Amino acid sequence: MSDVSGILDNYDLKNIAIGTLGSHTALNIFKGAKEEGFRTVCVCREKDAILYRKFGVVDDMIIVRDFSELMTGHIQEKLRRLNVILIPHGSFTAFLSTEDLTGSLRVPMFGNRELLHLEADRKEQREWLRKAGLRLPGTIKSPEDIDRLVIAKLPGAKGGRGYFLAASPEGFHRKFSDMVRRGLLKEEDKENIHLQEYLMGVNVYPSYFSSIIKNDVEFLAIDRRYESAVDAIGRIPAGEQLEIRANPTYTIVGNFPIVIRESLLPELIRMGENVHETAKRLAPPGIIGPFCLETVVTDDLNIHTFEISARIVAGTNAGIGTSPYAYLKYGENMYMGRRIALEIREALEQGRLHEILT
């Protein structure tokens, strides 16, 4: 946002608050902000307010009926009066358009808004990763071209909802219709589905922090996802799976931290640095703050990247206070939410806040 400096001119920089939508990684963000001495502001739906009151990490709560109210003038004015810096997470791109985020949200945001737009566009995202030199799974142009096992995905941060596997055009259409019948997809979703080659391996999600203040890309966490119903299907005998024609989806229920074998870490670190260097050329100054590569490690120990999230991801919730990689870098009690707040605090102290906000 070009006028962020003008908005900051009216902020009380001695009373900055950290704000976000009450969803996704808000507890992570708010706890980190409190530990670095910031006030916190939550834009929250009434049904979710109990969560943030229960843990006592929110100083000001703005109740809305729907997250789209963030785009209204009176909510944005209220946030500016509270000197809020917004921290984007997955619910921003799931419930709001990236056009609104880049063009109509007049509240300073930590991070690079243009990269949220790239993240939401599968084609642009793939080109970004390709230019960074990462290994990518193949893509299939249309359901009629399916000639191998693919995973069908919707664009944006959908939490795996409605994803499914298919190995033929017939299988795709049958499973798509089943997802529509179950209310997980809509008929019009067929035009937007992205078909990606499904690689056999272990899915791992490394999270990084690109620091403008320290001029470094830090490696802070790795997690895996626990997905329903695909992670439960192994409890059903194969005969019954065939009999019921099981069509599991990949809705994310939770995340758990993992420690990956050390010999894979150099490549993961290089991948993060290459992605950031490429982002500098695509959308200067590149990535500001957290990002995550969604990868699969095959049995030949090659790492393939199938997506990028250009903001904090829910998997970092599993590392609050305990991530081994953050511990190696910072010692005790460092995690992604606190690392965001630390960057903002150091930027304030050095008079460089404008460099990390858009």
Side-chain angles (χ1 to χ4, degrees), residues 52-88:
Y52 306 103
R53 294 185 180 119
K54 178 67 69 175
F55 286 101
V57 292
V58 171
D59 296 306
D60 293 287
M61 196 166 308
I62 300 172
I63 299 298
V64 295
R65 292 185 301 275
D66 186 85
F67 286 146
S68 64
E69 289 185 48
L70 180 65
M71 303 312 304
T72 62
H74 75 279
I75 295 294
Q76 293 186 36
E77 174 60 27
K78 187 176 291 189
L79 292 171
R80 291 193 295 267
R81 286 201 307 268
L82 291 168
N83 307 299
V84 166
I85 294 172
L86 284 174
I87 314 299

PDB file of all heavy atoms in Angstrom, residues 52-88:
ATOM      1  N   TYR A  52     -10.503 -16.287  22.940  1.00  0.00           N
ATOM      2  CA  TYR A  52      -9.494 -15.261  23.226  1.00  0.00           C
ATOM      3  C   TYR A  52      -9.669 -14.678  24.626  1.00  0.00           C
ATOM      4  O   TYR A  52      -8.692 -14.275  25.259  1.00  0.00           O
ATOM      5  CB  TYR A  52      -9.548 -14.194  22.122  1.00  0.00           C
ATOM      6  CG  TYR A  52      -9.396 -14.882  20.774  1.00  0.00           C
ATOM      7  CD1 TYR A  52     -10.497 -15.085  19.948  1.00  0.00           C
ATOM      8  CD2 TYR A  52      -8.170 -15.433  20.394  1.00  0.00           C
ATOM      9  CE1 TYR A  52     -10.371 -15.786  18.752  1.00  0.00           C
ATOM     10  CE2 TYR A  52      -8.044 -16.133  19.213  1.00  0.00           C
ATOM     11  CZ  TYR A  52      -9.155 -16.312  18.400  1.00  0.00           C
ATOM     12  OH  TYR A  52      -9.019 -17.030  17.239  1.00  0.00           O
ATOM     13  N   ARG A  53     -10.905 -14.705  25.141  1.00  0.00           N
ATOM     14  CA  ARG A  53     -11.113 -14.314  26.536  1.00  0.00           C
ATOM     15  C   ARG A  53     -10.554 -15.374  27.484  1.00  0.00           C
ATOM     16  O   ARG A  53      -9.991 -15.066  28.538  1.00  0.00           O
ATOM     17  CB  ARG A  53     -12.608 -14.106  26.794  1.00  0.00           C
ATOM     18  CG  ARG A  53     -13.208 -12.927  26.016  1.00  0.00           C
ATOM     19  CD  ARG A  53     -14.653 -12.676  26.403  1.00  0.00           C
ATOM     20  NE  ARG A  53     -15.211 -11.541  25.662  1.00  0.00           N
ATOM     21  CZ  ARG A  53     -16.241 -11.609  24.836  1.00  0.00           C
ATOM     22  NH1 ARG A  53     -16.868 -12.774  24.651  1.00  0.00           N
ATOM     23  NH2 ARG A  53     -16.681 -10.533  24.200  1.00  0.00           N
ATOM     24  N   LYS A  54     -10.717 -16.634  27.104  1.00  0.00           N
ATOM     25  CA  LYS A  54     -10.274 -17.732  27.969  1.00  0.00           C
ATOM     26  C   LYS A  54      -8.760 -17.694  28.201  1.00  0.00           C
ATOM     27  O   LYS A  54      -8.289 -17.928  29.316  1.00  0.00           O
ATOM     28  CB  LYS A  54     -10.680 -19.076  27.335  1.00  0.00           C
ATOM     29  CG  LYS A  54     -10.235 -20.309  28.096  1.00  0.00           C
ATOM     30  CD  LYS A  54     -10.933 -20.431  29.436  1.00  0.00           C
ATOM     31  CE  LYS A  54     -12.400 -20.739  29.296  1.00  0.00           C
ATOM     32  NZ  LYS A  54     -13.044 -20.979  30.619  1.00  0.00           N
ATOM     33  N   PHE A  55      -7.995 -17.400  27.139  1.00  0.00           N
ATOM     34  CA  PHE A  55      -6.536 -17.414  27.266  1.00  0.00           C
ATOM     35  C   PHE A  55      -5.955 -16.050  27.642  1.00  0.00           C
ATOM     36  O   PHE A  55      -4.750 -15.937  27.883  1.00  0.00           O
ATOM     37  CB  PHE A  55      -5.896 -17.925  25.976  1.00  0.00           C
ATOM     38  CG  PHE A  55      -6.056 -19.408  25.786  1.00  0.00           C
ATOM     39  CD1 PHE A  55      -7.014 -19.908  24.931  1.00  0.00           C
ATOM     40  CD2 PHE A  55      -5.267 -20.310  26.484  1.00  0.00           C
ATOM     41  CE1 PHE A  55      -7.181 -21.278  24.754  1.00  0.00           C
ATOM     42  CE2 PHE A  55      -5.417 -21.679  26.334  1.00  0.00           C
ATOM     43  CZ  PHE A  55      -6.376 -22.169  25.463  1.00  0.00           C
ATOM     44  N   GLY A  56      -6.780 -15.022  27.691  1.00  0.00           N
ATOM     45  CA  GLY A  56      -6.338 -13.726  28.202  1.00  0.00           C
ATOM     46  C   GLY A  56      -5.228 -13.063  27.399  1.00  0.00           C
ATOM     47  O   GLY A  56      -4.370 -12.387  27.985  1.00  0.00           O
ATOM     48  N   VAL A  57      -5.261 -13.236  26.072  1.00  0.00           N
ATOM     49  CA  VAL A  57      -4.184 -12.668  25.257  1.00  0.00           C
ATOM     50  C   VAL A  57      -4.640 -11.465  24.428  1.00  0.00           C
ATOM     51  O   VAL A  57      -3.862 -10.935  23.643  1.00  0.00           O
ATOM     52  CB  VAL A  57      -3.583 -13.744  24.314  1.00  0.00           C
ATOM     53  CG1 VAL A  57      -2.830 -14.797  25.110  1.00  0.00           C
ATOM     54  CG2 VAL A  57      -4.662 -14.385  23.439  1.00  0.00           C
ATOM     55  N   VAL A  58      -5.882 -11.011  24.611  1.00  0.00           N
ATOM     56  CA  VAL A  58      -6.425  -9.909  23.815  1.00  0.00           C
ATOM     57  C   VAL A  58      -6.790  -8.742  24.724  1.00  0.00           C
ATOM     58  O   VAL A  58      -7.492  -8.912  25.723  1.00  0.00           O
ATOM     59  CB  VAL A  58      -7.662 -10.362  23.012  1.00  0.00           C
ATOM     60  CG1 VAL A  58      -8.358  -9.172  22.358  1.00  0.00           C
ATOM     61  CG2 VAL A  58      -7.259 -11.384  21.965  1.00  0.00           C
ATOM     62  N   ASP A  59      -6.306  -7.549  24.377  1.00  0.00           N
ATOM     63  CA  ASP A  59      -6.630  -6.345  25.136  1.00  0.00           C
ATOM     64  C   ASP A  59      -7.901  -5.676  24.630  1.00  0.00           C
ATOM     65  O   ASP A  59      -8.704  -5.188  25.436  1.00  0.00           O
ATOM     66  CB  ASP A  59      -5.459  -5.350  25.056  1.00  0.00           C
ATOM     67  CG  ASP A  59      -4.204  -5.887  25.718  1.00  0.00           C
ATOM     68  OD1 ASP A  59      -4.280  -6.286  26.896  1.00  0.00           O
ATOM     69  OD2 ASP A  59      -3.148  -5.921  25.066  1.00  0.00           O
ATOM     70  N   ASP A  60      -8.084  -5.601  23.322  1.00  0.00           N
ATOM     71  CA  ASP A  60      -9.270  -4.979  22.728  1.00  0.00           C
ATOM     72  C   ASP A  60      -9.886  -5.951  21.733  1.00  0.00           C
ATOM     73  O   ASP A  60      -9.176  -6.494  20.877  1.00  0.00           O
ATOM     74  CB  ASP A  60      -8.900  -3.687  22.003  1.00  0.00           C
ATOM     75  CG  ASP A  60      -8.426  -2.603  22.964  1.00  0.00           C
ATOM     76  OD1 ASP A  60      -9.277  -2.049  23.680  1.00  0.00           O
ATOM     77  OD2 ASP A  60      -7.216  -2.328  22.995  1.00  0.00           O
ATOM     78  N   MET A  61     -11.189  -6.151  21.851  1.00  0.00           N
ATOM     79  CA  MET A  61     -11.880  -7.042  20.938  1.00  0.00           C
ATOM     80  C   MET A  61     -12.931  -6.259  20.146  1.00  0.00           C
ATOM     81  O   MET A  61     -13.729  -5.537  20.721  1.00  0.00           O
ATOM     82  CB  MET A  61     -12.533  -8.199  21.692  1.00  0.00           C
ATOM     83  CG  MET A  61     -12.930  -9.340  20.781  1.00  0.00           C
ATOM     84  SD  MET A  61     -13.343 -10.869  21.650  1.00  0.00           S
ATOM     85  CE  MET A  61     -11.962 -11.157  22.711  1.00  0.00           C
ATOM     86  N   ILE A  62     -12.873  -6.397  18.820  1.00  0.00           N
ATOM     87  CA  ILE A  62     -13.845  -5.775  17.937  1.00  0.00           C
ATOM     88  C   ILE A  62     -14.720  -6.885  17.370  1.00  0.00           C
ATOM     89  O   ILE A  62     -14.245  -7.721  16.601  1.00  0.00           O
ATOM     90  CB  ILE A  62     -13.148  -4.997  16.803  1.00  0.00           C
ATOM     91  CG1 ILE A  62     -12.264  -3.889  17.385  1.00  0.00           C
ATOM     92  CG2 ILE A  62     -14.182  -4.417  15.843  1.00  0.00           C
ATOM     93  CD1 ILE A  62     -11.389  -3.199  16.341  1.00  0.00           C
ATOM     94  N   ILE A  63     -15.985  -6.925  17.777  1.00  0.00           N
ATOM     95  CA  ILE A  63     -16.870  -8.005  17.364  1.00  0.00           C
ATOM     96  C   ILE A  63     -17.505  -7.664  16.014  1.00  0.00           C
ATOM     97  O   ILE A  63     -18.037  -6.568  15.819  1.00  0.00           O
ATOM     98  CB  ILE A  63     -17.971  -8.247  18.414  1.00  0.00           C
ATOM     99  CG1 ILE A  63     -17.340  -8.644  19.772  1.00  0.00           C
ATOM    100  CG2 ILE A  63     -18.938  -9.325  17.933  1.00  0.00           C
ATOM    101  CD1 ILE A  63     -16.550  -9.938  19.737  1.00  0.00           C
ATOM    102  N   VAL A  64     -17.449  -8.622  15.096  1.00  0.00           N
ATOM    103  CA  VAL A  64     -18.062  -8.473  13.768  1.00  0.00           C
ATOM    104  C   VAL A  64     -18.928  -9.704  13.489  1.00  0.00           C
ATOM    105  O   VAL A  64     -18.740 -10.755  14.093  1.00  0.00           O
ATOM    106  CB  VAL A  64     -16.997  -8.326  12.654  1.00  0.00           C
ATOM    107  CG1 VAL A  64     -16.203  -7.029  12.825  1.00  0.00           C
ATOM    108  CG2 VAL A  64     -16.042  -9.535  12.636  1.00  0.00           C
ATOM    109  N   ARG A  65     -19.879  -9.546  12.584  1.00  0.00           N
ATOM    110  CA  ARG A  65     -20.696 -10.698  12.180  1.00  0.00           C
ATOM    111  C   ARG A  65     -19.928 -11.593  11.229  1.00  0.00           C
ATOM    112  O   ARG A  65     -20.094 -12.814  11.218  1.00  0.00           O
ATOM    113  CB  ARG A  65     -21.982 -10.221  11.511  1.00  0.00           C
ATOM    114  CG  ARG A  65     -22.951  -9.518  12.442  1.00  0.00           C
ATOM    115  CD  ARG A  65     -24.255  -9.172  11.731  1.00  0.00           C
ATOM    116  NE  ARG A  65     -24.003  -8.315  10.577  1.00  0.00           N
ATOM    117  CZ  ARG A  65     -23.895  -6.994  10.632  1.00  0.00           C
ATOM    118  NH1 ARG A  65     -24.005  -6.380  11.802  1.00  0.00           N
ATOM    119  NH2 ARG A  65     -23.682  -6.287   9.542  1.00  0.00           N
ATOM    120  N   ASP A  66     -19.087 -10.976  10.407  1.00  0.00           N
ATOM    121  CA  ASP A  66     -18.359 -11.695   9.368  1.00  0.00           C
ATOM    122  C   ASP A  66     -17.017 -11.010   9.164  1.00  0.00           C
ATOM    123  O   ASP A  66     -16.902  -9.785   9.304  1.00  0.00           O
ATOM    124  CB  ASP A  66     -19.175 -11.677   8.066  1.00  0.00           C
ATOM    125  CG  ASP A  66     -18.547 -12.516   6.980  1.00  0.00           C
ATOM    126  OD1 ASP A  66     -18.793 -13.729   6.950  1.00  0.00           O
ATOM    127  OD2 ASP A  66     -17.785 -11.947   6.173  1.00  0.00           O
ATOM    128  N   PHE A  67     -16.000 -11.791   8.813  1.00  0.00           N
ATOM    129  CA  PHE A  67     -14.662 -11.214   8.642  1.00  0.00           C
ATOM    130  C   PHE A  67     -14.608 -10.190   7.509  1.00  0.00           C
ATOM    131  O   PHE A  67     -13.718  -9.344   7.479  1.00  0.00           O
ATOM    132  CB  PHE A  67     -13.637 -12.318   8.393  1.00  0.00           C
ATOM    133  CG  PHE A  67     -13.281 -13.114   9.619  1.00  0.00           C
ATOM    134  CD1 PHE A  67     -12.990 -14.471   9.519  1.00  0.00           C
ATOM    135  CD2 PHE A  67     -13.226 -12.520  10.867  1.00  0.00           C
ATOM    136  CE1 PHE A  67     -12.648 -15.216  10.647  1.00  0.00           C
ATOM    137  CE2 PHE A  67     -12.886 -13.253  12.005  1.00  0.00           C
ATOM    138  CZ  PHE A  67     -12.598 -14.601  11.889  1.00  0.00           C
ATOM    139  N   SER A  68     -15.558 -10.261   6.572  1.00  0.00           N
ATOM    140  CA  SER A  68     -15.558  -9.288   5.484  1.00  0.00           C
ATOM    141  C   SER A  68     -15.764  -7.866   5.991  1.00  0.00           C
ATOM    142  O   SER A  68     -15.441  -6.892   5.295  1.00  0.00           O
ATOM    143  CB  SER A  68     -16.640  -9.637   4.463  1.00  0.00           C
ATOM    144  OG  SER A  68     -17.933  -9.554   5.042  1.00  0.00           O
ATOM    145  N   GLU A  69     -16.261  -7.713   7.232  1.00  0.00           N
ATOM    146  CA  GLU A  69     -16.438  -6.379   7.802  1.00  0.00           C
ATOM    147  C   GLU A  69     -15.104  -5.670   8.021  1.00  0.00           C
ATOM    148  O   GLU A  69     -15.075  -4.444   8.234  1.00  0.00           O
ATOM    149  CB  GLU A  69     -17.210  -6.459   9.113  1.00  0.00           C
ATOM    150  CG  GLU A  69     -18.677  -6.810   8.955  1.00  0.00           C
ATOM    151  CD  GLU A  69     -19.431  -6.761  10.269  1.00  0.00           C
ATOM    152  OE1 GLU A  69     -19.282  -5.768  11.009  1.00  0.00           O
ATOM    153  OE2 GLU A  69     -20.152  -7.734  10.562  1.00  0.00           O
ATOM    154  N   LEU A  70     -14.018  -6.408   7.985  1.00  0.00           N
ATOM    155  CA  LEU A  70     -12.704  -5.765   8.076  1.00  0.00           C
ATOM    156  C   LEU A  70     -12.520  -4.731   6.972  1.00  0.00           C
ATOM    157  O   LEU A  70     -11.775  -3.763   7.130  1.00  0.00           O
ATOM    158  CB  LEU A  70     -11.590  -6.829   7.987  1.00  0.00           C
ATOM    159  CG  LEU A  70     -10.140  -6.322   8.059  1.00  0.00           C
ATOM    160  CD1 LEU A  70      -9.856  -5.702   9.430  1.00  0.00           C
ATOM    161  CD2 LEU A  70      -9.163  -7.454   7.779  1.00  0.00           C
ATOM    162  N   MET A  71     -13.197  -4.925   5.848  1.00  0.00           N
ATOM    163  CA  MET A  71     -13.032  -4.029   4.717  1.00  0.00           C
ATOM    164  C   MET A  71     -13.895  -2.765   4.832  1.00  0.00           C
ATOM    165  O   MET A  71     -13.793  -1.880   3.985  1.00  0.00           O
ATOM    166  CB  MET A  71     -13.365  -4.756   3.408  1.00  0.00           C
ATOM    167  CG  MET A  71     -12.538  -6.008   3.154  1.00  0.00           C
ATOM    168  SD  MET A  71     -10.758  -5.741   3.391  1.00  0.00           S
ATOM    169  CE  MET A  71     -10.465  -4.389   2.252  1.00  0.00           C
ATOM    170  N   THR A  72     -14.730  -2.664   5.855  1.00  0.00           N
ATOM    171  CA  THR A  72     -15.573  -1.480   5.999  1.00  0.00           C
ATOM    172  C   THR A  72     -14.770  -0.316   6.571  1.00  0.00           C
ATOM    173  O   THR A  72     -13.819  -0.501   7.341  1.00  0.00           O
ATOM    174  CB  THR A  72     -16.779  -1.764   6.906  1.00  0.00           C
ATOM    175  OG1 THR A  72     -16.307  -2.117   8.221  1.00  0.00           O
ATOM    176  CG2 THR A  72     -17.628  -2.896   6.347  1.00  0.00           C
ATOM    177  N   GLY A  73     -15.197   0.889   6.218  1.00  0.00           N
ATOM    178  CA  GLY A  73     -14.467   2.079   6.648  1.00  0.00           C
ATOM    179  C   GLY A  73     -14.441   2.254   8.153  1.00  0.00           C
ATOM    180  O   GLY A  73     -13.402   2.634   8.723  1.00  0.00           O
ATOM    181  N   HIS A  74     -15.563   1.967   8.844  1.00  0.00           N
ATOM    182  CA  HIS A  74     -15.585   2.234  10.284  1.00  0.00           C
ATOM    183  C   HIS A  74     -14.710   1.254  11.069  1.00  0.00           C
ATOM    184  O   HIS A  74     -14.108   1.637  12.080  1.00  0.00           O
ATOM    185  CB  HIS A  74     -17.021   2.238  10.815  1.00  0.00           C
ATOM    186  CG  HIS A  74     -17.653   0.892  10.952  1.00  0.00           C
ATOM    187  ND1 HIS A  74     -18.206   0.214   9.893  1.00  0.00           N
ATOM    188  CD2 HIS A  74     -17.818   0.091  12.049  1.00  0.00           C
ATOM    189  CE1 HIS A  74     -18.695  -0.929  10.318  1.00  0.00           C
ATOM    190  NE2 HIS A  74     -18.473  -1.043  11.609  1.00  0.00           N
ATOM    191  N   ILE A  75     -14.606  -0.001  10.616  1.00  0.00           N
ATOM    192  CA  ILE A  75     -13.702  -0.945  11.286  1.00  0.00           C
ATOM    193  C   ILE A  75     -12.253  -0.537  11.057  1.00  0.00           C
ATOM    194  O   ILE A  75     -11.423  -0.540  11.990  1.00  0.00           O
ATOM    195  CB  ILE A  75     -13.953  -2.384  10.800  1.00  0.00           C
ATOM    196  CG1 ILE A  75     -15.356  -2.865  11.195  1.00  0.00           C
ATOM    197  CG2 ILE A  75     -12.877  -3.333  11.352  1.00  0.00           C
ATOM    198  CD1 ILE A  75     -15.573  -3.022  12.681  1.00  0.00           C
ATOM    199  N   GLN A  76     -11.915  -0.165   9.849  1.00  0.00           N
ATOM    200  CA  GLN A  76     -10.541   0.254   9.566  1.00  0.00           C
ATOM    201  C   GLN A  76     -10.179   1.518  10.341  1.00  0.00           C
ATOM    202  O   GLN A  76      -9.058   1.647  10.847  1.00  0.00           O
ATOM    203  CB  GLN A  76     -10.356   0.445   8.064  1.00  0.00           C
ATOM    204  CG  GLN A  76     -10.451  -0.852   7.277  1.00  0.00           C
ATOM    205  CD  GLN A  76     -10.130  -0.681   5.809  1.00  0.00           C
ATOM    206  OE1 GLN A  76      -9.261   0.097   5.434  1.00  0.00           O
ATOM    207  NE2 GLN A  76     -10.841  -1.408   4.955  1.00  0.00           N
ATOM    208  N   GLU A  77     -11.114   2.443  10.456  1.00  0.00           N
ATOM    209  CA  GLU A  77     -10.864   3.662  11.227  1.00  0.00           C
ATOM    210  C   GLU A  77     -10.618   3.328  12.695  1.00  0.00           C
ATOM    211  O   GLU A  77      -9.725   3.885  13.343  1.00  0.00           O
ATOM    212  CB  GLU A  77     -12.047   4.617  11.092  1.00  0.00           C
ATOM    213  CG  GLU A  77     -11.952   5.861  11.963  1.00  0.00           C
ATOM    214  CD  GLU A  77     -10.730   6.722  11.680  1.00  0.00           C
ATOM    215  OE1 GLU A  77     -10.228   6.697  10.531  1.00  0.00           O
ATOM    216  OE2 GLU A  77     -10.268   7.415  12.610  1.00  0.00           O
ATOM    217  N   LYS A  78     -11.394   2.392  13.222  1.00  0.00           N
ATOM    218  CA  LYS A  78     -11.212   1.979  14.616  1.00  0.00           C
ATOM    219  C   LYS A  78      -9.818   1.363  14.816  1.00  0.00           C
ATOM    220  O   LYS A  78      -9.136   1.648  15.814  1.00  0.00           O
ATOM    221  CB  LYS A  78     -12.293   0.973  15.001  1.00  0.00           C
ATOM    222  CG  LYS A  78     -12.319   0.593  16.467  1.00  0.00           C
ATOM    223  CD  LYS A  78     -13.483  -0.325  16.788  1.00  0.00           C
ATOM    224  CE  LYS A  78     -14.809   0.392  16.674  1.00  0.00           C
ATOM    225  NZ  LYS A  78     -15.932  -0.448  17.186  1.00  0.00           N
ATOM    226  N   LEU A  79      -9.375   0.550  13.864  1.00  0.00           N
ATOM    227  CA  LEU A  79      -8.054  -0.070  13.963  1.00  0.00           C
ATOM    228  C   LEU A  79      -6.950   0.987  13.896  1.00  0.00           C
ATOM    229  O   LEU A  79      -5.963   0.912  14.636  1.00  0.00           O
ATOM    230  CB  LEU A  79      -7.873  -1.100  12.844  1.00  0.00           C
ATOM    231  CG  LEU A  79      -8.763  -2.351  12.938  1.00  0.00           C
ATOM    232  CD1 LEU A  79      -8.649  -3.187  11.667  1.00  0.00           C
ATOM    233  CD2 LEU A  79      -8.396  -3.190  14.157  1.00  0.00           C
ATOM    234  N   ARG A  80      -7.126   1.973  13.022  1.00  0.00           N
ATOM    235  CA  ARG A  80      -6.111   3.023  12.933  1.00  0.00           C
ATOM    236  C   ARG A  80      -6.049   3.847  14.224  1.00  0.00           C
ATOM    237  O   ARG A  80      -4.969   4.225  14.674  1.00  0.00           O
ATOM    238  CB  ARG A  80      -6.374   3.914  11.719  1.00  0.00           C
ATOM    239  CG  ARG A  80      -6.128   3.221  10.384  1.00  0.00           C
ATOM    240  CD  ARG A  80      -6.100   4.207   9.227  1.00  0.00           C
ATOM    241  NE  ARG A  80      -7.393   4.847   9.014  1.00  0.00           N
ATOM    242  CZ  ARG A  80      -8.318   4.408   8.166  1.00  0.00           C
ATOM    243  NH1 ARG A  80      -8.089   3.285   7.460  1.00  0.00           N
ATOM    244  NH2 ARG A  80      -9.463   5.050   8.019  1.00  0.00           N
ATOM    245  N   ARG A  81      -7.209   4.116  14.822  1.00  0.00           N
ATOM    246  CA  ARG A  81      -7.218   4.862  16.089  1.00  0.00           C
ATOM    247  C   ARG A  81      -6.496   4.093  17.188  1.00  0.00           C
ATOM    248  O   ARG A  81      -5.924   4.692  18.101  1.00  0.00           O
ATOM    249  CB  ARG A  81      -8.658   5.155  16.530  1.00  0.00           C
ATOM    250  CG  ARG A  81      -9.354   6.234  15.725  1.00  0.00           C
ATOM    251  CD  ARG A  81     -10.528   6.823  16.523  1.00  0.00           C
ATOM    252  NE  ARG A  81     -11.438   5.810  17.013  1.00  0.00           N
ATOM    253  CZ  ARG A  81     -12.521   5.379  16.359  1.00  0.00           C
ATOM    254  NH1 ARG A  81     -12.794   5.863  15.152  1.00  0.00           N
ATOM    255  NH2 ARG A  81     -13.292   4.455  16.885  1.00  0.00           N
ATOM    256  N   LEU A  82      -6.526   2.774  17.096  1.00  0.00           N
ATOM    257  CA  LEU A  82      -5.830   1.935  18.086  1.00  0.00           C
ATOM    258  C   LEU A  82      -4.375   1.685  17.721  1.00  0.00           C
ATOM    259  O   LEU A  82      -3.691   0.899  18.373  1.00  0.00           O
ATOM    260  CB  LEU A  82      -6.567   0.601  18.230  1.00  0.00           C
ATOM    261  CG  LEU A  82      -7.950   0.666  18.898  1.00  0.00           C
ATOM    262  CD1 LEU A  82      -8.696  -0.653  18.719  1.00  0.00           C
ATOM    263  CD2 LEU A  82      -7.818   1.006  20.381  1.00  0.00           C
ATOM    264  N   ASN A  83      -3.879   2.329  16.645  1.00  0.00           N
ATOM    265  CA  ASN A  83      -2.471   2.193  16.212  1.00  0.00           C
ATOM    266  C   ASN A  83      -2.126   0.749  15.869  1.00  0.00           C
ATOM    267  O   ASN A  83      -1.044   0.252  16.209  1.00  0.00           O
ATOM    268  CB  ASN A  83      -1.509   2.705  17.296  1.00  0.00           C
ATOM    269  CG  ASN A  83      -1.832   4.108  17.749  1.00  0.00           C
ATOM    270  OD1 ASN A  83      -1.797   5.051  16.961  1.00  0.00           O
ATOM    271  ND2 ASN A  83      -2.168   4.249  19.026  1.00  0.00           N
ATOM    272  N   VAL A  84      -3.042   0.071  15.170  1.00  0.00           N
ATOM    273  CA  VAL A  84      -2.889  -1.360  14.911  1.00  0.00           C
ATOM    274  C   VAL A  84      -2.003  -1.620  13.700  1.00  0.00           C
ATOM    275  O   VAL A  84      -2.138  -0.972  12.654  1.00  0.00           O
ATOM    276  CB  VAL A  84      -4.263  -2.018  14.708  1.00  0.00           C
ATOM    277  CG1 VAL A  84      -4.132  -3.418  14.091  1.00  0.00           C
ATOM    278  CG2 VAL A  84      -5.006  -2.113  16.037  1.00  0.00           C
ATOM    279  N   ILE A  85      -1.124  -2.588  13.858  1.00  0.00           N
ATOM    280  CA  ILE A  85      -0.428  -3.235  12.743  1.00  0.00           C
ATOM    281  C   ILE A  85      -1.062  -4.609  12.583  1.00  0.00           C
ATOM    282  O   ILE A  85      -1.067  -5.409  13.524  1.00  0.00           O
ATOM    283  CB  ILE A  85       1.075  -3.362  13.002  1.00  0.00           C
ATOM    284  CG1 ILE A  85       1.728  -1.975  13.049  1.00  0.00           C
ATOM    285  CG2 ILE A  85       1.747  -4.240  11.938  1.00  0.00           C
ATOM    286  CD1 ILE A  85       3.179  -2.009  13.501  1.00  0.00           C
ATOM    287  N   LEU A  86      -1.620  -4.884  11.402  1.00  0.00           N
ATOM    288  CA  LEU A  86      -2.277  -6.164  11.157  1.00  0.00           C
ATOM    289  C   LEU A  86      -1.267  -7.237  10.759  1.00  0.00           C
ATOM    290  O   LEU A  86      -0.333  -6.965   9.998  1.00  0.00           O
ATOM    291  CB  LEU A  86      -3.312  -6.029  10.039  1.00  0.00           C
ATOM    292  CG  LEU A  86      -4.636  -5.351  10.396  1.00  0.00           C
ATOM    293  CD1 LEU A  86      -5.466  -5.173   9.134  1.00  0.00           C
ATOM    294  CD2 LEU A  86      -5.411  -6.161  11.444  1.00  0.00           C
ATOM    295  N   ILE A  87      -1.482  -8.438  11.261  1.00  0.00           N
ATOM    296  CA  ILE A  87      -0.679  -9.599  10.894  1.00  0.00           C
ATOM    297  C   ILE A  87      -1.558 -10.531  10.069  1.00  0.00           C
ATOM    298  O   ILE A  87      -2.539 -11.082  10.581  1.00  0.00           O
ATOM    299  CB  ILE A  87      -0.139 -10.351  12.127  1.00  0.00           C
ATOM    300  CG1 ILE A  87       0.459  -9.387  13.151  1.00  0.00           C
ATOM    301  CG2 ILE A  87       0.870 -11.416  11.684  1.00  0.00           C
ATOM    302  CD1 ILE A  87       1.629  -8.577  12.647  1.00  0.00           C
ATOM    303  N   PRO A  88      -1.251 -10.736   8.782  1.00  0.00           N
ATOM    304  CA  PRO A  88      -2.097 -11.615   7.961  1.00  0.00           C
ATOM    305  C   PRO A  88      -1.851 -13.090   8.261  1.00  0.00           C
ATOM    306  O   PRO A  88      -0.736 -13.495   8.595  1.00  0.00           O
ATOM    307  CB  PRO A  88      -1.662 -11.269   6.534  1.00  0.00           C
ATOM    308  CG  PRO A  88      -0.229 -10.870   6.676  1.00  0.00           C
ATOM    309  CD  PRO A  88      -0.125 -10.166   8.010  1.00  0.00           C
TER     310      PRO A  88
END
